[in-house]
């Protein structure tokens, strides 16, 4: 089936906005639904500046069935990319009810409407967190889904299950579960990037804020892991590569594959210290740091096996961490107070 008009929930967010750009560039017609709980509507204007196209935008909460149904009535979607959700690991421990209800309810309402309007394709933003503590790396898609160490991760595991059961019962539905590793970077124009509220939890936005003097120094959580330099190893993927992975996945869904699961990562592990050095090399800015105790819930090493995505989607990451550091820093410098 031909896919052209795509509902992008959470499309003004960090990954969603870059994906909307790639969709426009690839000839799709994306329509954004976002409640702006963690993004700004100014993103729409920036997408227009970059692509020349202003995507249709609805400020609607995906949990609000009535309002969301009106969007389905008005637009004729052939596919959905479901980014909308709350994503802060630490916050999810403090606010489990908000996380379970927002992430699960939004997905259930969405699926109900997809069934009602016979929309048969969905791409879901899952996470490497569903693998739990890896028994070995690289992680392959057939590795068991573990249990997460926090409510945010549990919502990803539960939603994967909900989508799997729904696809089992509704055979015409095509589902892609995309397990992202660590998305970083930003649009090379400096117009779009990661804009976290408050003190960043993730490594790259924290380093960027140190680089512009907003934070004094980076605190490295542990240097005693069984890794080459003792600091944690992750698979950092440029958000532009991740966005392209969604375009490749839509092409796959158009072939009616049923349920498919892909890791979206680079296949390469990078330690925290290697990332600090890469950032310094990419930007010329020195990042002071201290070594602190390991952070609860962190694993030592986590990176993706990428063969399946390459063999079945013809997709692989093109950018390296130097590119990602440069683009993340460029966004931070141009938007010292985030997107306004
Ligand atoms: P983001 O917060 O920038 O984007 C999510 C968007 O969803 C925001 O614009 C927010 O306003 C919107 N939203 C939240 N709840 C909503 C609701 N009920 N109705 C409508 N809109 C709602 O996050 P992101 O980094 O772009 O992540 C996108 C998706 O990818 C999320 O589902 C996230 O869990 C997943 N993911 C992210 C990472 C990461 O490290 N960034 C890693 C793995 C998976
Ligand atoms: N780190 C520091 N100092 C910081 C922040 C992070 O040393 O200030 C270290 C962490 O200990 C870890 C690495 O940098 O070794 C990466 O940490 P992030 O917080 O950036 O990323 P995580 O791998 O912990 O978590 C990310 C996403 C989660 C997702 C998880 C698994 O933020 O949403 O990957 O996919 F669940």
């Amino acid at each position: 089936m031909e896919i052209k008009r795509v509902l992008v929930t959470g499309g003004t967010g960090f990954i969603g906005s870059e994906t909307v750009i790639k969709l426009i560039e690839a000839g799709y017609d994306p329509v954004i639904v976002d409640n702006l709980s963690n993004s700004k509507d100014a993103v729409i204007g920036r997408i227009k500046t970059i692509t020349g196209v202003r995507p249709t935008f609805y400020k609607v909460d995906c949990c609000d069935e009535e309002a969301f149904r009106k969007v389905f009535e008005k637009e004729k979607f052939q596919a959905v990319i479901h980014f909308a959700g709350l994503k802060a690991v630490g916050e999810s421990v403090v606010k489990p009810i908000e996380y379970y209800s927002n992430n699960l309810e939004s997905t259930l309402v969405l699926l109900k409407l997809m069934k009602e309007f016979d929309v048969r394709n969905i791409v879901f933003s899952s996470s490497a967190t569903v693998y739990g503590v890896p028994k070995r790396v690289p992680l392959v898609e057939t590795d068991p889904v573990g249990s997460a160490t926090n409510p945010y991760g549990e919502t990803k595991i539960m939603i994967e299950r909900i989508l799997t059961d729904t696809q089992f019962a509704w055979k015409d539905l095509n589902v892609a579960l995309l397990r992202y590793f660590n998305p970083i970077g930003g649009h090379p124009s400096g117009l779009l990037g990661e804009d976290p509220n408050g003190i960043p939890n993730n490594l790259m936005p924290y380093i960027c804020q140190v680089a512009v003097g907003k934070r004094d120094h980076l605190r490295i959580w542990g240097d005693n892991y069984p890794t080459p330099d003792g600091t944690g190893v992750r698979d950092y993927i440029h958000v532009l590569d991740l966005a392209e992975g969604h375009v490749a996945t839509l092409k796959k869904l158009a072939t009616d594959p049923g349920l498919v699961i892909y890791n979206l990562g680079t296949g390469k592990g990078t330690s925290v210290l290697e990332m600090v050095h890469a950032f310094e090399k990419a930007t010329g800015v020195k990042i002071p740091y201290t070594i602190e105790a390991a952070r609860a819930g962190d694993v030592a090493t986590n990176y993706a096996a990428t063969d399946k995505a390459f063999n079945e989607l013809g997709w692989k990451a093109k950018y390296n961490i130097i590119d990602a550091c440069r683009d993340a820093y460029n966004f931070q410098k141009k938007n010292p107070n985030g997107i306004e």
Side-chain angles (χ1 to χ4, degrees):
M1 138 183 235
E2 207 214 349
I3 296 176
K4 181 131 174 84
R5 180 161 300 171
V6 183
L7 165 62
V8 185
T9 75
T12 42
F14 170 47
I15 306 169
S17 56
E18 302 286 357
T19 302
V20 166
I21 290 169
K22 290 287 179 196
L23 288 172
I24 292 170
E25 287 170 354
Y28 291 89
D29 178 13
V31 173
I32 298 174
V33 165
D34 200 299
N35 66 0
L36 301 180
S37 59
N38 197 36
S39 55
K40 310 262 169 56
D41 59 1
V43 166
I44 304 291
R46 294 187 178 204
I47 293 174
K48 163 113 196 304
T49 306
I50 292 166
T51 63
V53 174
R54 177 178 289 273
T56 307
F57 168 62
Y58 294 90
K59 182 177 182 291
V60 163
D61 191 311
C62 299
C63 301
D64 180 347
E65 188 174 327
E66 233 170 276
F68 206 5
R69 179 174 288 104
K70 292 206 174 90
V71 178
F72 272 80
E73 275 164 3
K74 205 152 167 231
E75 310 285 344
K76 187 107 189 69
F77 300 120
Q78 282 110 30
V80 178
I81 306 181
H82 184 36
F83 291 107
L86 299 174
K87 64 156 186 179
V89 172
E91 187 184 60
S92 79
V93 177
V94 185
K95 298 180 174 174
I97 300 167
E98 284 86 340
Y99 271 68
Y100 284 114
S101 70
N102 185 71
N103 292 4
L104 297 180
E105 244 172 79
S106 59
T107 307
L108 291 168
V109 168
L110 172 65
L111 283 172
K112 200 167 156 184
L113 292 170
M114 286 177 67
K115 191 84 203 281
E116 196 174 316
F117 290 84
D118 199 27
V119 181
R120 299 181 181 181
N121 298 288
I122 180 166
V123 180
F124 173 60
S125 301
S126 190
S127 164
T129 196
V130 302
Y131 292 114
V133 179
K135 292 204 175 56
R136 62 187 167 114
V137 282
L139 285 155
V140 287
E141 289 85 346
T142 46
D143 281 343
V145 167
S147 66
T149 51
N150 55 78
Y152 162 74
E154 286 299 336
T155 69
K156 294 295 176 196
I157 293 171
M158 289 178 187
I159 295 169
E160 284 205 0
R161 180 86 232 167
I162 291 168
L163 288 167
T164 304
D165 291 345
T166 305
Q167 199 282 327
F168 182 79
W170 178 17
K171 295 289 184 222
D172 288 336
L173 182 68
N174 296 304
V175 173
L177 307 177
L178 298 184
R179 295 175 179 160
Y180 309 157
F181 280 68
N182 290 52
I184 57 169
H187 195 270
S189 62
L191 288 170
L192 294 170
E194 208 172 354
D195 179 16
N197 290 326
I199 302 171
N201 190 51
N202 296 118
L203 181 63
M204 183 52 74
Y206 203 102
I207 290 179
C208 284
Q209 293 198 4
V210 173
V212 296
K214 258 181 119 168
R215 314 257 160 225
D216 182 56
H217 67 280
L218 172 69
R219 290 165 301 162
I220 295 183
W221 306 126
D223 68 349
N224 220 356
Y225 285 108
T227 61
D229 63 26
T231 63
V233 168
R234 295 290 183 276
D235 185 340
Y236 297 94
I237 177 166
H238 198 298
V239 66
L240 291 185
D241 279 326
L242 199 59
E244 271 188 355
H246 292 74
V247 177
T249 302
L250 281 186
K251 289 192 185 131
K252 176 75 182 177
L253 290 190
T255 68
D256 259 334
L259 176 83
V260 288
I261 305 176
Y262 299 108
N263 287 337
L264 294 187
T266 66
K268 192 177 176 303
T270 301
S271 75
V272 180
L273 277 172
E274 282 172 331
M275 188 54 100
V276 169
H277 296 139
F279 190 93
E280 292 178 342
K281 189 171 161 202
T283 64
V285 182
K286 189 114 194 82
I287 302 299
Y289 63 82
T290 55
I291 305 287
E292 309 288 337
R295 187 169 68 174
D298 271 359
V299 301
T301 302
N302 193 354
Y303 57 92
T306 56
D307 307 351
K308 191 172 178 221
F310 182 64
N311 293 335
E312 296 185 18
L313 302 177
W315 169 90
K316 69 171 193 242
K318 291 194 293 233
Y319 297 97
N320 59 33
I321 54 169
I322 299 277
D323 301 321
C325 289
R326 186 198 53 228
D327 293 337
Y329 180 56
N330 188 26
F331 173 76
Q332 179 72 58
K333 263 191 320 190
K334 289 191 171 150
N335 304 271
N337 301 312
I339 293 171
E340 290 175 303

